[in-house]
Amino acid sequence: MTSRKSPMARRFRSYLPVVVDVETSGFDPHANALLEIAAVHLDMDETGNLHPVRTHQLHVKPFEGAKLEEAALSFNKINPFHPFRFAVDEREALSQIFDAVQQSIRQHGCTRAILVGHNPAFDIAFLNAASNRARIKKNPFHPFSTFDTATLGGLAYGQTVLARAAQAAGLSWDPQEAHSAAYDANQTARLFCTIVNRWKRLNDLLPQE
């Protein structure tokens, strides 16, 4: 870990924002399966602006005894048992995601990751439940604090639905790609960066005392 705080660490109180989206077989993190997870890593350039830099996406096997709700699977169009999903179990999926996040934490001199999501209470609940099932002891994410782009989108653009907030921010939106973890995570990351960078520009215009 670097001895001097990086601009990213200074900007977010030593937390590293990582954008996460999950697709599941229902709304209950303890009963329904985690089926997809994507994590988008962010970086800060020399001007202090945030940008998405890379994405980790994994398909996940339902844990034994998981409830698979037809309505949820119809919505996200996931066949949990399709042979070409190349899914891994929860422990393997989270280990890969967490290892990459830990590497980014060290790179930026941060102390912990903080989950960025659109209505992230859902994502963090499934992440924590799967982590507990897999008996993973070192979860790099703060257990309950998050950044919510639904709230930020409402503040910045008057829109709380991801598609509408993204479009209000001038971002493209493909409804055919929506509701996959990778697409939604990347769109959420772009929205988050746009709002943070917009605030920076506005703040830069304020008179300095």
Side-chain angles (χ1 to χ4, degrees):
M1 183 179 293
T2 58
S3 58
R4 184 172 174 271
K5 281 188 177 182
S6 69
M8 182 78 87
R10 292 197 302 271
R11 177 64 179 83
F12 298 104
R13 247 187 86 243
S14 294
Y15 287 122
L16 177 71
V18 179
V19 184
V20 173
D21 189 79
V22 301
E23 297 297 330
T24 70
S25 69
F27 295 108
D28 186 339
H30 303 290
N32 296 121
L34 173 66
L35 299 176
E36 286 184 10
I37 182 168
V40 181
H41 295 248
L42 310 177
D43 205 351
M44 184 176 285
D45 64 24
E46 65 278 2
T47 67
N49 286 319
L50 284 184
H51 305 279
V53 289
R54 63 186 179 279
T55 304
H56 289 92
Q57 178 197 14
L58 290 148
H59 299 280
V60 187
K61 296 177 183 177
F63 66 89
E64 186 175 355
K67 292 183 179 179
L68 307 177
E69 309 287 350
E70 286 298 328
L73 300 181
S74 176
F75 179 75
N76 57 34
K77 299 179 175 60
I78 295 175
N79 177 355
F81 305 107
H82 195 289
F84 296 145
R85 289 186 75 226
F86 303 110
V88 298
D89 63 30
E90 287 183 330
R91 184 175 182 81
E92 175 63 22
L94 294 183
S95 293
Q96 290 191 38
I97 294 290
F98 290 173
D99 285 350
V101 171
Q102 291 283 17
Q103 183 178 351
S104 289
I105 289 172
R106 291 191 294 270
Q107 174 189 342
H108 290 286
C110 294
T111 58
R112 195 161 201 175
I114 187 166
L115 188 147
V116 181
H118 203 77
N119 298 311
F122 180 86
D123 303 278
I124 196 70
F126 270 88
L127 193 72
N128 288 339
S131 183
N132 289 336
R133 280 193 299 269
R135 293 184 171 85
I136 294 177
K137 295 181 180 179
K138 293 185 178 180
N139 182 338
F141 287 92
H142 193 286
F144 55 84
S145 292
T146 58
F147 289 145
D148 182 7
T149 53
T151 300
L152 293 173
L155 171 66
Y157 303 111
Q159 298 290 346
T160 58
V161 175
L162 179 56
R164 293 180 179 178
Q167 290 171 321
L171 306 175
S172 61
W173 184 266
D174 185 348
Q176 299 301 316
E177 295 291 332
H179 308 307
S180 75
Y183 185 81
D184 286 2
N186 273 283
Q187 291 296 90
T188 300
R190 294 172 68 200
L191 177 61
F192 179 71
C193 291
T194 299
I195 294 171
V196 171
N197 296 342
R198 182 187 187 194
W199 174 259
K200 179 184 179 299
R201 290 193 299 272
L202 292 172
N203 196 51
D204 287 346
L205 295 175
L206 295 176
Q208 301 298 313
E209 294 184 358

